[in-house]
PDB file of all heavy atoms in Angstrom:
ATOM      1  N   ALA A1298      -5.108  -8.028  -2.792  1.00  0.00           N
ATOM      2  CA  ALA A1298      -6.254  -7.087  -2.893  1.00  0.00           C
ATOM      3  C   ALA A1298      -6.040  -5.959  -1.914  1.00  0.00           C
ATOM      4  O   ALA A1298      -6.403  -4.785  -2.224  1.00  0.00           O
ATOM      5  CB  ALA A1298      -7.503  -7.792  -2.588  1.00  0.00           C
ATOM      6  N   ALA A1299      -5.456  -6.237  -0.734  1.00  0.00           N
ATOM      7  CA  ALA A1299      -5.233  -5.166   0.251  1.00  0.00           C
ATOM      8  C   ALA A1299      -4.245  -4.185  -0.309  1.00  0.00           C
ATOM      9  O   ALA A1299      -4.382  -2.946  -0.143  1.00  0.00           O
ATOM     10  CB  ALA A1299      -4.714  -5.769   1.550  1.00  0.00           C
ATOM     11  N   ILE A1300      -3.203  -4.623  -1.037  1.00  0.00           N
ATOM     12  CA  ILE A1300      -2.247  -3.709  -1.625  1.00  0.00           C
ATOM     13  C   ILE A1300      -2.916  -2.862  -2.760  1.00  0.00           C
ATOM     14  O   ILE A1300      -2.723  -1.635  -2.811  1.00  0.00           O
ATOM     15  CB  ILE A1300      -1.095  -4.494  -2.260  1.00  0.00           C
ATOM     16  CG1 ILE A1300      -0.256  -5.198  -1.117  1.00  0.00           C
ATOM     17  CG2 ILE A1300      -0.179  -3.653  -3.121  1.00  0.00           C
ATOM     18  CD1 ILE A1300       0.725  -6.246  -1.606  1.00  0.00           C
ATOM     19  N   ALA A1301      -3.780  -3.499  -3.536  1.00  0.00           N
ATOM     20  CA  ALA A1301      -4.464  -2.740  -4.587  1.00  0.00           C
ATOM     21  C   ALA A1301      -5.409  -1.742  -3.987  1.00  0.00           C
ATOM     22  O   ALA A1301      -5.567  -0.607  -4.498  1.00  0.00           O
ATOM     23  CB  ALA A1301      -5.232  -3.748  -5.453  1.00  0.00           C
ATOM     24  N   ALA A1302      -6.001  -2.129  -2.824  1.00  0.00           N
ATOM     25  CA  ALA A1302      -6.978  -1.206  -2.205  1.00  0.00           C
ATOM     26  C   ALA A1302      -6.202   0.047  -1.699  1.00  0.00           C
ATOM     27  O   ALA A1302      -6.748   1.185  -1.741  1.00  0.00           O
ATOM     28  CB  ALA A1302      -7.666  -1.867  -1.063  1.00  0.00           C
ATOM     29  N   LEU A1303      -4.996  -0.138  -1.157  1.00  0.00           N
ATOM     30  CA  LEU A1303      -4.197   1.027  -0.656  1.00  0.00           C
ATOM     31  C   LEU A1303      -3.847   1.972  -1.824  1.00  0.00           C
ATOM     32  O   LEU A1303      -3.858   3.209  -1.668  1.00  0.00           O
ATOM     33  CB  LEU A1303      -2.968   0.572   0.027  1.00  0.00           C
ATOM     34  CG  LEU A1303      -3.222  -0.047   1.420  1.00  0.00           C
ATOM     35  CD1 LEU A1303      -1.964  -0.795   1.900  1.00  0.00           C
ATOM     36  CD2 LEU A1303      -3.585   1.029   2.397  1.00  0.00           C
ATOM     37  N   HIS A1304      -3.565   1.428  -2.991  1.00  0.00           N
ATOM     38  CA  HIS A1304      -3.345   2.249  -4.156  1.00  0.00           C
ATOM     39  C   HIS A1304      -4.574   3.004  -4.542  1.00  0.00           C
ATOM     40  O   HIS A1304      -4.538   4.215  -4.833  1.00  0.00           O
ATOM     41  CB  HIS A1304      -2.804   1.431  -5.333  1.00  0.00           C
ATOM     42  CG  HIS A1304      -1.401   1.020  -5.256  1.00  0.00           C
ATOM     43  ND1 HIS A1304      -0.371   1.916  -5.244  1.00  0.00           N
ATOM     44  CD2 HIS A1304      -0.820  -0.230  -5.187  1.00  0.00           C
ATOM     45  CE1 HIS A1304       0.782   1.219  -5.151  1.00  0.00           C
ATOM     46  NE2 HIS A1304       0.553  -0.049  -5.122  1.00  0.00           N
ATOM     47  N   ALA A1305      -5.680   2.277  -4.522  1.00  0.00           N
ATOM     48  CA  ALA A1305      -6.958   2.922  -4.967  1.00  0.00           C
ATOM     49  C   ALA A1305      -7.445   3.944  -3.971  1.00  0.00           C
ATOM     50  O   ALA A1305      -8.136   4.933  -4.360  1.00  0.00           O
ATOM     51  CB  ALA A1305      -7.991   1.845  -5.104  1.00  0.00           C
ATOM     52  N   ASP A1306      -7.057   3.840  -2.714  1.00  0.00           N
ATOM     53  CA  ASP A1306      -7.515   4.762  -1.679  1.00  0.00           C
ATOM     54  C   ASP A1306      -6.736   6.077  -1.675  1.00  0.00           C
ATOM     55  O   ASP A1306      -7.249   7.084  -1.110  1.00  0.00           O
ATOM     56  CB  ASP A1306      -7.370   4.122  -0.271  1.00  0.00           C
ATOM     57  CG  ASP A1306      -8.003   4.902   0.843  1.00  0.00           C
ATOM     58  OD1 ASP A1306      -9.158   5.276   0.696  1.00  0.00           O
ATOM     59  OD2 ASP A1306      -7.257   5.220   1.857  1.00  0.00           O
ATOM     60  N   ALA A1307      -5.550   6.148  -2.269  1.00  0.00           N
ATOM     61  CA  ALA A1307      -4.788   7.350  -2.291  1.00  0.00           C
ATOM     62  C   ALA A1307      -5.324   8.340  -3.289  1.00  0.00           C
ATOM     63  O   ALA A1307      -5.392   8.031  -4.480  1.00  0.00           O
ATOM     64  CB  ALA A1307      -3.328   6.973  -2.621  1.00  0.00           C
ATOM     65  N   PRO A1308      -5.625   9.582  -2.912  1.00  0.00           N
ATOM     66  CA  PRO A1308      -6.105  10.582  -3.787  1.00  0.00           C
ATOM     67  C   PRO A1308      -5.085  10.915  -4.873  1.00  0.00           C
ATOM     68  O   PRO A1308      -5.448  11.257  -5.982  1.00  0.00           O
ATOM     69  CB  PRO A1308      -6.395  11.780  -2.882  1.00  0.00           C
ATOM     70  CG  PRO A1308      -6.512  11.232  -1.480  1.00  0.00           C
ATOM     71  CD  PRO A1308      -5.605  10.019  -1.488  1.00  0.00           C
ATOM     72  N   THR A1309      -3.824  10.902  -4.457  1.00  0.00           N
ATOM     73  CA  THR A1309      -2.713  11.162  -5.441  1.00  0.00           C
ATOM     74  C   THR A1309      -1.635  10.125  -5.236  1.00  0.00           C
ATOM     75  O   THR A1309      -1.593   9.465  -4.168  1.00  0.00           O
ATOM     76  CB  THR A1309      -2.107  12.535  -5.270  1.00  0.00           C
ATOM     77  OG1 THR A1309      -1.465  12.618  -3.996  1.00  0.00           O
ATOM     78  CG2 THR A1309      -3.165  13.650  -5.356  1.00  0.00           C
ATOM     79  N   ALA A1310      -0.716   9.992  -6.211  1.00  0.00           N
ATOM     80  CA  ALA A1310       0.389   9.070  -6.111  1.00  0.00           C
ATOM     81  C   ALA A1310       1.226   9.386  -4.891  1.00  0.00           C
ATOM     82  O   ALA A1310       1.752   8.485  -4.143  1.00  0.00           O
ATOM     83  CB  ALA A1310       1.146   9.050  -7.359  1.00  0.00           C
ATOM     84  N   GLU A1311       1.417  10.713  -4.673  1.00  0.00           N
ATOM     85  CA  GLU A1311       2.290  11.085  -3.551  1.00  0.00           C
ATOM     86  C   GLU A1311       1.744  10.769  -2.152  1.00  0.00           C
ATOM     87  O   GLU A1311       2.414  10.646  -1.168  1.00  0.00           O
ATOM     88  CB  GLU A1311       2.512  12.657  -3.623  1.00  0.00           C
ATOM     89  CG  GLU A1311       3.309  13.080  -4.850  1.00  0.00           C
ATOM     90  CD  GLU A1311       2.564  13.013  -6.175  1.00  0.00           C
ATOM     91  OE1 GLU A1311       1.316  13.016  -6.095  1.00  0.00           O
ATOM     92  OE2 GLU A1311       3.196  12.925  -7.182  1.00  0.00           O
ATOM     93  N   GLU A1312       0.416  10.611  -2.082  1.00  0.00           N
ATOM     94  CA  GLU A1312      -0.234  10.278  -0.815  1.00  0.00           C
ATOM     95  C   GLU A1312      -0.391   8.765  -0.524  1.00  0.00           C
ATOM     96  O   GLU A1312      -1.029   8.378   0.425  1.00  0.00           O
ATOM     97  CB  GLU A1312      -1.609  10.986  -0.749  1.00  0.00           C
ATOM     98  CG  GLU A1312      -1.528  12.507  -0.803  1.00  0.00           C
ATOM     99  CD  GLU A1312      -2.893  13.116  -0.896  1.00  0.00           C
ATOM    100  OE1 GLU A1312      -3.566  13.317   0.201  1.00  0.00           O
ATOM    101  OE2 GLU A1312      -3.344  13.396  -2.056  1.00  0.00           O
ATOM    102  N   THR A1313       0.227   7.952  -1.420  1.00  0.00           N
ATOM    103  CA  THR A1313       0.113   6.510  -1.281  1.00  0.00           C
ATOM    104  C   THR A1313       0.786   6.104   0.045  1.00  0.00           C
ATOM    105  O   THR A1313       1.881   6.537   0.374  1.00  0.00           O
ATOM    106  CB  THR A1313       0.758   5.803  -2.446  1.00  0.00           C
ATOM    107  OG1 THR A1313       0.148   6.151  -3.636  1.00  0.00           O
ATOM    108  CG2 THR A1313       0.658   4.262  -2.310  1.00  0.00           C
ATOM    109  N   ASP A1314       0.152   5.188   0.790  1.00  0.00           N
ATOM    110  CA  ASP A1314       0.699   4.727   2.048  1.00  0.00           C
ATOM    111  C   ASP A1314       1.684   3.571   1.752  1.00  0.00           C
ATOM    112  O   ASP A1314       1.430   2.404   1.945  1.00  0.00           O
ATOM    113  CB  ASP A1314      -0.411   4.276   3.017  1.00  0.00           C
ATOM    114  CG  ASP A1314       0.038   3.970   4.389  1.00  0.00           C
ATOM    115  OD1 ASP A1314       1.283   3.856   4.605  1.00  0.00           O
ATOM    116  OD2 ASP A1314      -0.762   3.811   5.335  1.00  0.00           O
ATOM    117  N   TRP A1315       2.907   3.957   1.426  1.00  0.00           N
ATOM    118  CA  TRP A1315       3.888   2.950   0.968  1.00  0.00           C
ATOM    119  C   TRP A1315       4.397   2.065   2.171  1.00  0.00           C
ATOM    120  O   TRP A1315       4.721   0.924   1.963  1.00  0.00           O
ATOM    121  CB  TRP A1315       5.108   3.591   0.305  1.00  0.00           C
ATOM    122  CG  TRP A1315       4.749   4.044  -1.096  1.00  0.00           C
ATOM    123  CD1 TRP A1315       4.550   5.288  -1.470  1.00  0.00           C
ATOM    124  CD2 TRP A1315       4.584   3.204  -2.225  1.00  0.00           C
ATOM    125  NE1 TRP A1315       4.259   5.369  -2.842  1.00  0.00           N
ATOM    126  CE2 TRP A1315       4.282   4.040  -3.283  1.00  0.00           C
ATOM    127  CE3 TRP A1315       4.588   1.831  -2.451  1.00  0.00           C
ATOM    128  CZ2 TRP A1315       4.013   3.567  -4.592  1.00  0.00           C
ATOM    129  CZ3 TRP A1315       4.381   1.329  -3.726  1.00  0.00           C
ATOM    130  CH2 TRP A1315       4.079   2.229  -4.812  1.00  0.00           C
ATOM    131  N   VAL A1316       4.442   2.713   3.329  1.00  0.00           N
ATOM    132  CA  VAL A1316       4.856   1.849   4.515  1.00  0.00           C
ATOM    133  C   VAL A1316       3.869   0.707   4.748  1.00  0.00           C
ATOM    134  O   VAL A1316       4.344  -0.396   4.990  1.00  0.00           O
ATOM    135  CB  VAL A1316       4.921   2.771   5.772  1.00  0.00           C
ATOM    136  CG1 VAL A1316       5.177   1.948   7.021  1.00  0.00           C
ATOM    137  CG2 VAL A1316       5.965   3.855   5.607  1.00  0.00           C
ATOM    138  N   GLN A1317       2.591   0.944   4.665  1.00  0.00           N
ATOM    139  CA  GLN A1317       1.612  -0.082   4.859  1.00  0.00           C
ATOM    140  C   GLN A1317       1.678  -1.138   3.713  1.00  0.00           C
ATOM    141  O   GLN A1317       1.476  -2.356   3.904  1.00  0.00           O
ATOM    142  CB  GLN A1317       0.256   0.462   5.029  1.00  0.00           C
ATOM    143  CG  GLN A1317      -0.790  -0.539   5.562  1.00  0.00           C
ATOM    144  CD  GLN A1317      -2.091   0.034   5.870  1.00  0.00           C
ATOM    145  OE1 GLN A1317      -3.072  -0.710   6.151  1.00  0.00           O
ATOM    146  NE2 GLN A1317      -2.267   1.354   5.914  1.00  0.00           N
ATOM    147  N   ILE A1318       1.944  -0.598   2.524  1.00  0.00           N
ATOM    148  CA  ILE A1318       2.066  -1.486   1.368  1.00  0.00           C
ATOM    149  C   ILE A1318       3.232  -2.492   1.540  1.00  0.00           C
ATOM    150  O   ILE A1318       3.126  -3.673   1.269  1.00  0.00           O
ATOM    151  CB  ILE A1318       2.234  -0.676   0.049  1.00  0.00           C
ATOM    152  CG1 ILE A1318       0.843  -0.046  -0.301  1.00  0.00           C
ATOM    153  CG2 ILE A1318       2.739  -1.591  -1.085  1.00  0.00           C
ATOM    154  CD1 ILE A1318       0.891   0.866  -1.527  1.00  0.00           C
ATOM    155  N   VAL A1319       4.353  -1.997   2.034  1.00  0.00           N
ATOM    156  CA  VAL A1319       5.525  -2.810   2.398  1.00  0.00           C
ATOM    157  C   VAL A1319       5.086  -3.895   3.367  1.00  0.00           C
ATOM    158  O   VAL A1319       5.521  -5.079   3.213  1.00  0.00           O
ATOM    159  CB  VAL A1319       6.690  -2.030   2.887  1.00  0.00           C
ATOM    160  CG1 VAL A1319       7.790  -3.000   3.412  1.00  0.00           C
ATOM    161  CG2 VAL A1319       7.240  -1.107   1.782  1.00  0.00           C
ATOM    162  N   GLU A1320       4.349  -3.564   4.369  1.00  0.00           N
ATOM    163  CA  GLU A1320       3.859  -4.502   5.412  1.00  0.00           C
ATOM    164  C   GLU A1320       3.032  -5.587   4.773  1.00  0.00           C
ATOM    165  O   GLU A1320       3.150  -6.799   5.071  1.00  0.00           O
ATOM    166  CB  GLU A1320       3.108  -3.765   6.482  1.00  0.00           C
ATOM    167  CG  GLU A1320       4.002  -2.815   7.329  1.00  0.00           C
ATOM    168  CD  GLU A1320       3.189  -2.004   8.288  1.00  0.00           C
ATOM    169  OE1 GLU A1320       1.971  -2.129   8.258  1.00  0.00           O
ATOM    170  OE2 GLU A1320       3.809  -1.301   9.099  1.00  0.00           O
ATOM    171  N   TRP A1321       2.174  -5.238   3.790  1.00  0.00           N
ATOM    172  CA  TRP A1321       1.334  -6.214   3.183  1.00  0.00           C
ATOM    173  C   TRP A1321       2.201  -7.118   2.229  1.00  0.00           C
ATOM    174  O   TRP A1321       1.893  -8.280   2.130  1.00  0.00           O
ATOM    175  CB  TRP A1321       0.238  -5.492   2.376  1.00  0.00           C
ATOM    176  CG  TRP A1321      -0.963  -5.297   3.170  1.00  0.00           C
ATOM    177  CD1 TRP A1321      -1.472  -4.053   3.606  1.00  0.00           C
ATOM    178  CD2 TRP A1321      -1.910  -6.254   3.703  1.00  0.00           C
ATOM    179  NE1 TRP A1321      -2.601  -4.198   4.357  1.00  0.00           N
ATOM    180  CE2 TRP A1321      -2.923  -5.556   4.460  1.00  0.00           C
ATOM    181  CE3 TRP A1321      -1.944  -7.583   3.678  1.00  0.00           C
ATOM    182  CZ2 TRP A1321      -3.930  -6.139   5.143  1.00  0.00           C
ATOM    183  CZ3 TRP A1321      -2.974  -8.294   4.384  1.00  0.00           C
ATOM    184  CH2 TRP A1321      -3.931  -7.529   5.050  1.00  0.00           C
ATOM    185  N   TYR A1322       3.225  -6.504   1.559  1.00  0.00           N
ATOM    186  CA  TYR A1322       4.134  -7.331   0.825  1.00  0.00           C
ATOM    187  C   TYR A1322       4.856  -8.340   1.695  1.00  0.00           C
ATOM    188  O   TYR A1322       5.145  -9.476   1.293  1.00  0.00           O
ATOM    189  CB  TYR A1322       5.108  -6.476  -0.003  1.00  0.00           C
ATOM    190  CG  TYR A1322       4.614  -6.090  -1.366  1.00  0.00           C
ATOM    191  CD1 TYR A1322       4.443  -4.779  -1.742  1.00  0.00           C
ATOM    192  CD2 TYR A1322       4.194  -7.074  -2.317  1.00  0.00           C
ATOM    193  CE1 TYR A1322       3.953  -4.401  -2.955  1.00  0.00           C
ATOM    194  CE2 TYR A1322       3.720  -6.775  -3.548  1.00  0.00           C
ATOM    195  CZ  TYR A1322       3.612  -5.419  -3.861  1.00  0.00           C
ATOM    196  OH  TYR A1322       3.114  -5.046  -5.107  1.00  0.00           O
ATOM    197  N   ASP A1323       5.192  -7.970   2.881  1.00  0.00           N
ATOM    198  CA  ASP A1323       5.811  -8.876   3.864  1.00  0.00           C
ATOM    199  C   ASP A1323       4.874 -10.028   4.120  1.00  0.00           C
ATOM    200  O   ASP A1323       5.303 -11.239   4.181  1.00  0.00           O
ATOM    201  CB  ASP A1323       6.208  -8.174   5.147  1.00  0.00           C
ATOM    202  CG  ASP A1323       7.417  -7.254   4.946  1.00  0.00           C
ATOM    203  OD1 ASP A1323       8.147  -7.423   3.968  1.00  0.00           O
ATOM    204  OD2 ASP A1323       7.542  -6.314   5.756  1.00  0.00           O
ATOM    205  N   GLU A1324       3.626  -9.728   4.345  1.00  0.00           N
ATOM    206  CA  GLU A1324       2.590 -10.830   4.588  1.00  0.00           C
ATOM    207  C   GLU A1324       2.512 -11.680   3.388  1.00  0.00           C
ATOM    208  O   GLU A1324       2.498 -12.935   3.470  1.00  0.00           O
ATOM    209  CB  GLU A1324       1.212 -10.154   4.850  1.00  0.00           C
ATOM    210  CG  GLU A1324       1.164  -9.412   6.170  1.00  0.00           C
ATOM    211  CD  GLU A1324       0.882 -10.346   7.340  1.00  0.00           C
ATOM    212  OE1 GLU A1324       0.830 -11.536   7.149  1.00  0.00           O
ATOM    213  OE2 GLU A1324       0.687  -9.812   8.479  1.00  0.00           O
ATOM    214  N   LEU A1325       2.478 -11.083   2.187  1.00  0.00           N
ATOM    215  CA  LEU A1325       2.324 -11.828   0.929  1.00  0.00           C
ATOM    216  C   LEU A1325       3.538 -12.719   0.699  1.00  0.00           C
ATOM    217  O   LEU A1325       3.413 -13.902   0.261  1.00  0.00           O
ATOM    218  CB  LEU A1325       2.063 -10.921  -0.232  1.00  0.00           C
ATOM    219  CG  LEU A1325       1.723 -11.410  -1.569  1.00  0.00           C
ATOM    220  CD1 LEU A1325       0.586 -12.367  -1.487  1.00  0.00           C
ATOM    221  CD2 LEU A1325       1.572 -10.348  -2.591  1.00  0.00           C
ATOM    222  N   ALA A1326       4.716 -12.253   0.943  1.00  0.00           N
ATOM    223  CA  ALA A1326       5.930 -13.022   0.793  1.00  0.00           C
ATOM    224  C   ALA A1326       5.960 -14.213   1.719  1.00  0.00           C
ATOM    225  O   ALA A1326       6.431 -15.293   1.296  1.00  0.00           O
ATOM    226  CB  ALA A1326       7.224 -12.161   1.023  1.00  0.00           C
TER     227      ALA A1326
END
């Protein structure tokens, strides 16, 4: 859900916080 929230929070695709998404994927893995 945290990953989905980061996607939802980005006004555009280019503004997505991919660094934080990778960190959440590390937690999930």
Side-chain angles (χ1 to χ4, degrees):
I1300 294 168
L1303 286 167
H1304 283 298
D1306 187 54
T1309 65
E1311 294 72 23
E1312 296 173 86
T1313 303
D1314 189 345
W1315 286 106
V1316 172
Q1317 194 173 168
I1318 287 177
V1319 171
E1320 293 173 355
W1321 274 110
Y1322 271 122
D1323 288 339
E1324 292 277 3
L1325 186 56

